[in-house]
Amino acid sequence: MISCSRKGIEIIMCLFCDIIDGRLPSEKIYEDEMIYAFTDKYPLTPVHFLIVPKMHITSASEITRRNSKYIARIFEKLPKIAKSQGIDSYRIISNCGEDAGQTVKHLHFHILGGTDLGEKMI
Ligand code: 5GP
Ligand code: ZN
């Protein structure tokens, strides 16, 4: 992923941009021109996939008027994508920042399901 800043050209290494662009392999679930969904490499529940904007957005705290259409697309498509994975009840998690446990700095939503997750959030 290459981005331009006022200081010049900055190259950002991003695992999920590499996955989206096909430079790294992934188990694709869904793709359109704005979003990409793929199985989490280390699933925490029987169904655990990630859904990401194709635009590099660092985290949920970087959503703006300019890029929010990518987020809208994610939530418009999510019910059908989840259904394609055999679930219509699921938990959506987006870790935002280091203390929240965000390890990949490309906004992503974890979709967890396929089992009774209980009422406790954490
Ligand atoms: P975070 O901790 O940032 O909220 O979530 C990052 C997620 O990415 C983790 O659930 C982790 O298992 C997943 N992950 C890390 N590396 C890879 C990878 O190379 N491929 C896939 N499919 N998932 C990955
Ligand atoms: Zn990225």
Side-chain angles (χ1 to χ4, degrees), residues 9-80:
I9 290 183
E10 194 185 333
I11 295 174
I12 299 172
M13 307 290 281
C14 173
L15 179 70
F16 287 173
C17 281
D18 283 347
I19 285 177
I20 293 162
D21 293 340
R23 287 186 293 274
L24 286 176
S26 67
E27 224 174 272
K28 181 168 83 174
I29 290 175
Y30 176 82
E31 176 177 26
D32 65 27
E33 76 283 10
M34 294 181 114
I35 65 172
Y36 193 83
F38 57 106
T39 306
D40 196 289
K41 195 173 181 178
Y42 306 103
L44 298 173
T45 49
V47 178
H48 182 182
F49 64 89
L50 303 170
I51 182 161
V52 303
K54 283 193 172 176
M55 174 184 240
H56 181 87
I57 302 169
T58 306
S59 75
S61 62
E62 301 295 327
I63 298 169
T64 63
R65 190 178 290 187
R66 198 171 68 84
N67 64 29
S68 60
K69 57 181 180 283
Y70 289 85
I71 313 311
R73 176 66 66 89
I74 285 173
F75 286 97
E76 283 163 19
K77 295 291 176 185
L78 180 54
K80 271 195 176 167

Side-chain angles (χ1 to χ4, degrees), residues 101-114:
Q102 184 181 6
T103 59
V104 181
K105 307 287 187 290
H106 181 127
L107 172 59
H108 52 282
F109 296 93
H110 295 259
I111 311 302
L112 300 155

